[in-house]
Amino acid sequence: MFILDEMEQFQCEQLVFCQDPSSGLRAIIAIHNTKLGPALGGCRMWKYATEEQAVTDALRLAKGMTYKAAVSGLPFGGGKAVIIGNPNTDKTMAKFRSLGQFVQKLQGRYITGIDLGTTVQDMDWVNIESEYVTDITGSLGAFGEFTAEMTAYGVFLGIKASVGKVYGSELLKGKTIAVQGLGKVGYFLCRYLHEAGVQLVVSDINADRVKKVLNAFGARPAAVDDIFGEACDIFAPCALGGILNDQTIPQLKCKIVAGGANNQLAEDRHGEALHSSGILYAPDYVINAGGLITTAVDLGGFDAPYAKRRVERIYPTINSVFQLSETLSICTAAAADRMAEQVLAKA
Ligand code: NAD
């Protein structure tokens, strides 16, 4: 792997390799872009098969954070840390303190937090060594519940904007929405949609989560592989990335794709594939920015009600993306990228 070429491809400012024999830490911090402010983005712990995979993941995720912060009007850049290791068996306080020392040495160029495989406890350990960490005990992001609720709230508002665009009215009552993934974000989203009178069709690989949503919101279950082909108005992916691809797009029977999952498009060209199939796609990093907005609000010292008000700006932002897509005759995914790149170019 040619690291500098790879960085250039992702337009990444700086890559920091961290290894500490005394704690066993092996980590990579990607600082993608700091034009708008310090690079903000969580720390993922994952059992990467190779170092190349860890580098690519850090670069890809950090770039996504830059674009998400830029379209959301936040004074932050994008960054991400990845720790190579099994989050279930390889975690120690020493590793996270060691990461904290590396983060501290960056003097605020990068601010870390929770991501896949890391918890509030881990961030509390980072915080022993560094002030540049969010999602610690007592913060708005602690335990992820409020952050996930705000992510779901932003997705809910983005769905309303999308429905308004496609159907000419934002009324959700009577619409059918298929939700894939009923974890933190999916559950809160189902709650908002149920309150708005939506008929829910849901799937999750975890049967207990499906049962919880069926009981609470009168949803109908779908098999994990069948959710894509469900007849519905909106498909809301809230589980894994890469689920909009050559196999799944031809199955879709919806008019809108709008959900909370990150990196929904397997490749950029799938944004175009949705567009040419006549399906309105609400770009993932625009509609799911509620969590990042909450973290940014917390870092600014503001409270939860302010975070909620700030998340409400996702609604006009999504409408601006749709408008730009129409004006330039490009797909919505490309329009969101243009918007982010315009903000960065002006900075
Ligand atoms: P979570 O781990 O709480 O929930 C994910 C759920 O998806 C789990 O219930 C899991 O069983 C289910 N799942 C996994 N594979 C599935 C499959 N093939 N079919 C159906 N269900 C499947 O995670 P979360 O915090 O709810 O995040 C969900 C998505 O939203 C992720 O892509 C995440 O990156 C993204 N996201 C989350 C936040 C946040 O604030 N939590 C913010 C932005 C984006």
Side-chain angles (χ1 to χ4, degrees), residues 35-331:
K35 271 188 174 178
L36 297 171
L40 177 60
C43 170
R44 179 166 287 196
M45 185 165 187
W46 192 248
K47 41 186 193 322
Y48 295 99
T50 63
E51 280 175 29
E52 280 89 341
Q53 280 181 14
V55 169
T56 305
D57 209 27
L59 289 170
R60 185 177 59 85
L61 293 166
K63 181 176 178 185
M65 296 306 289
T66 297
Y67 278 52
K68 194 183 286 201
V71 288
S72 306
L74 299 173
F76 289 97
K80 211 81 179 183
V82 300
I83 297 179
I84 300 171
N86 185 332
N88 299 319
T89 52
D90 297 340
K91 270 189 190 175
T92 60
M93 183 204 272
K95 272 191 185 135
F96 284 92
R97 286 189 65 166
S98 176
L99 180 76
Q101 288 167 5
F102 282 105
V103 170
Q104 188 62 20
K105 281 179 197 152
L106 292 168
Q107 288 292 307
R109 273 176 59 69
Y110 167 64
I111 304 169
T112 196
I114 292 179
D115 197 82
L116 209 76
T118 55
T119 63
V120 175
Q121 168 71 87
D122 305 333
M123 294 309 121
D124 284 345
W125 286 335
V126 171
N127 190 220
I128 297 171
E129 305 290 343
S130 177
E131 67 211 87
Y132 303 110
V133 54
T134 63
D135 306 328
I136 54 175
T137 300
S139 69
L140 286 182
F143 306 112
E145 289 293 314
F146 182 66
T147 315
E149 185 178 350
M150 286 303 98
T151 301
Y153 183 52
V155 173
F156 173 69
L157 297 175
I159 286 177
K160 281 184 90 162
S162 307
V163 167
K165 173 84 187 144
V166 169
Y167 295 92
S169 151
E170 292 183 356
L171 194 69
L172 294 184
K173 196 168 179 355
K175 294 274 181 295
T176 300
I177 303 191
V179 180
Q180 180 194 41
L182 306 170
K184 294 185 287 299
V185 173
Y187 180 85
F188 284 120
L189 179 62
C190 286
R191 195 188 70 190
Y192 282 113
L193 295 173
H194 174 68
E195 283 165 7
V198 163
Q199 311 284 325
L200 292 166
V201 187
V202 298
S203 77
D204 198 297
I205 50 171
N206 179 326
D208 289 340
R209 292 190 174 166
V210 175
K211 206 190 281 174
K212 194 173 157 195
V213 168
L214 299 194
N215 292 338
F217 310 125
R220 178 166 64 78
V224 166
D225 292 334
D226 295 346
I227 192 81
F228 302 101
E230 280 292 331
C232 60
D233 297 286
I234 299 134
F235 172 54
C238 296
L240 307 172
I243 42 80
L244 299 170
N245 54 45
D246 293 337
Q247 283 70 47
T248 58
I249 291 174
Q251 296 177 44
L252 295 174
K253 296 195 179 74
C254 57
K255 289 196 159 59
I256 296 166
V257 173
N262 275 317
N263 306 314
Q264 292 172 28
L265 302 172
E267 294 170 44
D268 287 351
R269 67 186 172 85
H270 293 114
E272 188 51 53
L274 287 169
H275 190 67
S276 49
S277 310
I279 296 172
L280 182 70
Y281 170 60
D284 48 13
Y285 64 79
V286 185
I287 196 169
N288 76 12
L292 179 66
I293 292 169
T294 303
T295 303
V297 163
D298 193 32
L299 283 167
F302 298 98
D303 58 7
Y306 179 72
K308 191 168 182 193
R309 287 202 301 282
R310 186 62 186 74
V311 169
E312 283 165 3
R313 289 199 213 161
I314 288 175
Y315 175 90
T317 307
I318 283 280
N319 275 327
S320 305
V321 171
F322 294 158
Q323 183 68 56
L324 189 66
S325 150
E326 219 165 72
T327 309
L328 300 180
S329 297
I330 54 175
C331 69

